[in-house]
Amino acid sequence: GAMAERTIRKNADGLRVPPNLTSYAAAVREFSWEEARRRLDGLPGGRGLNIAHEAVVRHARGPKADKTAIRFLRKDGRTEDWTYRALDRASNRFANVLRKLGVGRGDRVFTLLGRTPELFVAALGTLKNGSVLCPLFSAFGPEPLKTRLTLGEGKVLVTTEAFQARKVAPIRAELPMLREVILTGASWDGLLEAASPDFEIPPTNPEDVALLHFTSGTTGRPKGAVHVHEAVVAHHVTGLLALDFHDDDVFWCTADPGWVTGTSYGIVSPLTNGVTMVVDEGEFDAGRWYRVLEEQAVTVWYTAPTAVRMMMRGGTDLPRQRNLSRLRFIASVGEPLNPEAVLWGVAAFGLPIHDNWWQTETGGIMIANYASMDIRPGSMGRPLPGITAAVARRTADGRAEVLEEPGVQGELVLKAGWPSMFRGYLNETERFQKCFADGWYFTGDLARRDADGYYWFVGRSDDVIKSAGHLIGPFEVESALMEHPSVAEAAVIGKPDPLIGETVKAFVGLKADAGPSEGLRKDILGFARQRLGPAVAPKEIEFVTGLPKTKSGKILRRLLKARELGLPEGDLSTLEEAP
Ligand code: ATP
Ligand code: MG
């Protein structure tokens, strides 16, 4: 069928670099978490496991001490290289600053910083000190800042002088828990220089809390997910298996550390694997991004569907004019990756884009397309070795019923207990407990598994449309719309209908060379009906100039729906303001 024809064949021998995972079946058979744990050092003297030790200390004491850990691309065009040794010493100084302030184990340290060296120094120093790191996205205004600092009981905030004046000062009086605001800028260098560059990480229990991450707020008010130091085992090994890290890689993760991807794969995983990473301070700009890929000789690139779709808008000329011969692996996360986008990667870069799936709650990649495994465009791939996934249903009495039959739609569930699984939602014990039944973690996403074990995303359970007895996943409809030559992006919602439950409405953004017209609307409706059949195709199309998205680039279907139905808009703290 159509799906098989589009399969992108892969095999380990055909790749430029021998992949870490050569055979999926063998890797699944041979994997054990104990062995994954043995790839890490642990604190000297058996004093536990600490993320920052694995990320920098062990490299700073070994042959990689003078290797570039991070190359910062500053907004003013400068580049700034930091070795593993430099990162280790500076973060030691920051840990000493915290210690001197009386900030200790379990205390929450928030950051509100751009993608600059101070952010990485503060993050690693916080983890060394046994304090809990909570990185916030720097575009947050005072209100979302206040909510998160209050909920997370932030004791320390590290931020810039400008953010302090604009965003922190107005709410400072309402934050009695916040004891210290540490400023970067003029006073930062002096503060660090006054502290010792030597620091011994105190004993760290692998179950000690390390990270606090707020979810993206796509389905409602953001939740605070709590993670522990043991998560580093998953961060490390998923980097090897799903992102195929090799020693000489130059890795670029485009996510901000304010979102879980930007911490797990923008700080921890690449550093524990000892690669060199590129950190770009600037915002998205297709032309500049191609230049970064070329000039920095990026080999592994981890980005998001929204960015890919924006790059697709500009066509394949720009990437083809660049020498991107060093690039060998591209991956994407955060939203479903339309089959169109996977194939566009081949046209633009000569490489497919490898979709993978995970959440703030899972802490690391759970389902992925691997370098050596055939890709079925539109599928999230297969579970990581060490991860047991299934499609399941909750029974009326709250149990998990696993649906073994391939092709059946249900909730995506994971066998609980992997190292980077969240240990709680901040102040929401009951909500946390409700995520589990019979040893399974219920993800809130709907999926299908095919006969070969590939998982196909259907939609978030909140977004699924019930129409005339069908369950319609928005992703399938949006992907079909995306195949129309004039469509750049699409989002669909269900609208209440007295007869059939809900009807499908699509919001469509057009490519630069197309303009909205009645003719085009009819054409797209007909196109969708032909691909999807009349029961699933949208009944209504509204042309829009842009779709509402979270600051991390996810389409906010719930907001489209609330506006359409005249309902309250809900929590908009992560809404990206229209440019
Ligand atoms: P909130 O939980 O606050 O509503 P969120 O779920 O968007 O926000 P994240 O944890 O950042 O917060 O995102 C995880 C979710 O993103 C997943 O549960 C899934 O719905 C979606 N997602 C991530 N990667 C993929 C992917 N490859 N394919 C489809 N969906 C994905
Ligand atoms: Mg979620």
Side-chain angles (χ1 to χ4, degrees):
M3 194 185 81
E5 281 156 34
R6 285 162 68 143
T7 297
I8 298 170
R9 299 274 168 218
K10 296 284 217 77
N11 86 57
D13 302 332
L15 298 169
R16 243 179 287 162
V17 176
N20 296 326
L21 186 158
T22 45
S23 149
Y24 178 73
V28 168
R29 224 175 25 243
E30 287 155 19
F31 185 89
S32 85
W33 285 112
E34 294 73 54
E35 207 165 301
R37 166 66 182 80
R38 282 198 290 276
R39 290 177 166 277
L40 299 171
D41 279 5
L43 288 175
R47 289 181 305 122
L49 184 66
N50 183 294
I51 295 175
H53 177 88
E54 306 303 330
V56 287
V57 182
R58 67 176 181 145
H59 299 310
R61 290 180 186 167
K64 286 186 177 170
D66 294 314
K67 177 177 178 168
T68 300
I70 311 182
R71 163 165 284 196
F72 291 96
L73 310 180
R74 305 303 302 259
K75 269 189 183 148
D76 61 11
R78 280 179 307 129
T79 63
E80 198 177 317
D81 287 354
W82 283 62
T83 64
Y84 277 95
R85 192 199 307 278
L87 203 53
D88 183 38
R89 288 170 65 86
S91 53
N92 279 348
R93 290 181 192 274
F94 187 79
N96 279 317
V97 168
L98 290 180
R99 185 178 277 178
K100 219 177 278 172
L101 289 170
V103 179
R105 180 164 174 249
D107 288 337
R108 283 32 176 298
V109 177
F110 281 61
T111 59
L112 182 75
L113 295 165
R115 289 179 292 278
T116 59
E118 293 87 346
L119 170 55
F120 292 78
V121 167
L124 292 162
T126 297
L127 294 168
K128 283 180 172 176
N129 191 48
S131 306
V132 179
L133 171 68
C134 183
L136 294 177
F137 188 46
S138 62
F140 279 138
E143 265 315 301
L145 210 75
K146 191 178 84 186
T147 318
R148 285 162 181 75
L149 279 163
T150 304
L151 197 64
E153 297 177 23
K155 192 168 187 178
V156 178
L157 173 67
V158 189
T159 191
T160 66
E161 287 164 344
F163 290 157
Q164 140 74 17
R166 263 205 341 263
K167 307 181 182 195
V168 185
I171 55 169
R172 184 70 208 262
E174 297 163 74
L175 297 167
M177 281 291 297
L178 183 62
R179 264 198 14 214
E180 305 285 344
V181 176
I182 299 178
L183 296 180
T184 62
S187 56
W188 174 261
D189 287 344
L191 183 73
L192 259 65
E193 265 154 40
S196 163
D198 300 314
F199 182 88
E200 193 184 31
I201 297 180
T204 312
N205 187 312
E207 285 298 317
D208 280 355
V209 176
L211 300 159
L212 171 60
H213 265 296
F214 290 93
T215 60
S216 295
T218 313
T219 54
R221 192 167 58 76
K223 298 149 277 194
V226 173
H227 288 279
V228 298
H229 280 273
E230 201 201 0
V232 67
V233 180
H235 295 150
H236 181 76
V237 81
T238 52
L240 280 171
L241 298 176
L243 300 178
D244 199 34
F245 284 147
H246 286 64
D247 256 355
D248 53 359
D249 272 324
V250 176
F251 173 61
W252 185 23
C253 171
T254 61
D256 187 276
W259 313 110
V260 71
T261 306
T263 302
S264 296
Y265 298 97
I267 305 179
V268 182
S269 182
L271 293 179
T272 66
N273 280 291
V275 304
T276 293
M277 56 174 178
V278 168
V279 171
D280 179 30
E281 194 185 350
E283 297 312 317
F284 175 83
D285 174 305
R288 200 170 50 76
W289 276 28
Y290 291 125
R291 205 177 71 218
V292 169
L293 289 170
E294 177 181 48
E295 287 180 357
Q296 302 307 324
V298 172
T299 57
V300 179
W301 182 35
Y302 196 19
T303 190
T306 316
V308 174
R309 283 192 296 264
M310 287 204 269
M311 292 172 111
M312 286 168 76
R313 277 186 181 196
T316 52
D317 283 353
L318 278 173
R320 284 183 182 162
Q321 283 156 11
R322 295 281 171 186
N323 174 4
L324 303 177
S325 58
R326 296 292 302 279
L327 192 59
R328 67 174 175 82
F329 191 78
I330 311 176
S332 157
V333 72
E335 281 197 299
L337 187 68
N338 314 89
E340 224 34 37
V342 177
L343 298 168
W344 181 79
V346 178
F349 305 104
L351 301 167
I353 300 174
H354 299 73
D355 186 20
N356 59 52
W357 177 95
W358 59 291
Q359 322 173 293
T360 307
E361 290 87 340
T362 71
I365 302 171
M366 295 285 113
I367 296 179
N369 286 283
Y370 309 91
S372 59
M373 189 179 84
D374 288 354
I375 294 179
R376 299 180 175 176
S379 162
M380 312 186 279
R382 295 203 272 187
L384 260 288
I387 297 298
T388 306
V391 170
R393 182 180 91 76
R394 253 183 223 271
T395 62
D397 57 349
R399 310 209 48 152
E401 183 195 341
V402 173
L403 308 168
E404 305 282 359
E405 189 82 3
V408 176
Q409 191 170 299
E411 191 162 339
L412 176 62
V413 297
L414 304 166
K415 188 59 77 52
W418 68 94
S420 63
M421 188 179 87
F422 70 138
R423 299 299 197 263
Y425 282 130
L426 203 58
N427 305 344
E428 292 185 281
T429 313
E430 200 179 322
R431 184 175 207 163
F432 174 71
Q433 283 160 354
K434 277 195 181 137
C435 295
F436 298 87
D438 292 328
W440 293 97
Y441 163 62
F442 278 71
T443 65
D445 285 343
L446 298 182
R448 271 193 315 267
R449 189 188 66 250
D450 69 21
D452 301 306
Y454 282 72
Y455 281 79
W456 299 77
F457 182 78
V458 173
R460 295 163 179 274
S461 45
D462 295 10
D463 288 337
V464 162
I465 300 161
K466 295 172 197 78
S467 183
H470 297 272
L471 277 184
I472 301 175
F475 176 50
E476 182 187 12
V477 181
E478 291 160 8
S479 289
L481 291 167
M482 287 282 292
E483 286 178 31
H484 188 284
S486 299
V487 174
E489 56 178 359
V492 309
I493 60 162
K495 270 176 79 168
D497 179 279
L499 230 52
I500 59 169
E502 284 183 302
T503 61
V504 180
K505 170 165 183 178
F507 297 83
V508 166
L510 295 173
K511 290 203 178 135
D513 58 1
S517 71
E518 234 359 81
L520 184 57
R521 185 199 314 278
K522 290 217 176 87
D523 192 60
I524 297 174
L525 282 170
F527 179 88
R529 211 167 298 134
Q530 199 207 335
R531 309 248 144 172
L532 298 164
V536 177
K539 299 270 175 299
E540 196 184 332
I541 284 182
E542 180 175 330
F543 291 123
V544 292
T545 48
L547 294 169
K549 299 198 183 75
T550 64
K551 291 185 196 298
S552 55
K554 294 166 190 252
I555 298 172
L556 274 165
R557 292 178 193 78
R558 69 172 164 97
L559 182 56
L560 287 169
K561 188 161 178 168
R563 286 178 179 165
E564 181 72 27
L565 307 181
L567 297 172
E569 296 192 337
D571 183 292
L572 295 184
S573 64
T574 63
L575 174 68
E576 171 74 9
E577 271 93 80

